[in-house]
Amino acid sequence: QVPVVESGGGLVQAGGSLRLSCAASRSLLNINAMSWYRQAPGNQRELVATITSDGTTNYADSVKGRFTISRDNAKNTVYLQMNSLKSEDTAVYYCKVLARSLYVASYTNYWGQGTQVTVSS
């Protein structure tokens, strides 16, 4: 079972919106921080937004005021609402979940496979 699965990417025009979802497997327990990262071609992977277990959020300066991260603890799911998209937001978006699991007692980062977001200008 894949521990973390992203969905919701796609092609959108500049100025448009997309909502990404990331579902963590029920095998992951005591989920702590949930984060979104992105990686554009030729660039390093960068942090976009993080939400902790108590709901504290943190954003990269480049997305503040445009992106909103939220989580549904009952569903083990984190969301990224992306508004006013720009061409420079084009990247593969990855979800990272810090959690224990049924098989690993210590807190470990689990990554999804990524979802492509393409913003056309």
Side-chain angles (χ1 to χ4, degrees), residues 6-48:
E6 304 99 336
S7 61
L11 174 65
V12 64
Q13 287 188 333
S17 298
L18 279 176
R19 188 193 195 204
L20 305 183
S21 299
C22 168
S25 164
R26 291 295 181 182
S27 67
L28 298 186
L29 311 170
N30 304 120
I31 294 177
N32 194 320
M34 305 180 86
S35 305
W36 287 97
Y37 285 73
R38 68 185 180 186
Q39 188 168 18
N43 290 356
Q44 290 187 331
R45 192 171 296 189
E46 62 175 356
L47 177 65
V48 175

Side-chain angles (χ1 to χ4, degrees), residues 34-90:
M34 305 180 86
S35 305
W36 287 97
Y37 285 73
R38 68 185 180 186
Q39 188 168 18
N43 290 356
Q44 290 187 331
R45 192 171 296 189
E46 62 175 356
L47 177 65
V48 175
T50 296
I51 184 167
T52 62
S53 56
D54 66 358
T56 301
T57 59
N58 186 48
Y59 296 92
D61 288 342
S62 59
V63 306
K64 282 181 181 177
R66 299 189 298 122
F67 291 9
T68 302
I69 189 170
S70 61
R71 62 192 282 173
D72 184 335
N73 292 327
K75 296 182 178 179
N76 276 14
T77 299
V78 62
Y79 305 97
L80 186 68
Q81 178 67 43
M82 305 185 293
N83 298 329
S84 302
L85 283 161
K86 305 175 182 179
S87 57
E88 50 262 45
D89 294 319
T90 295

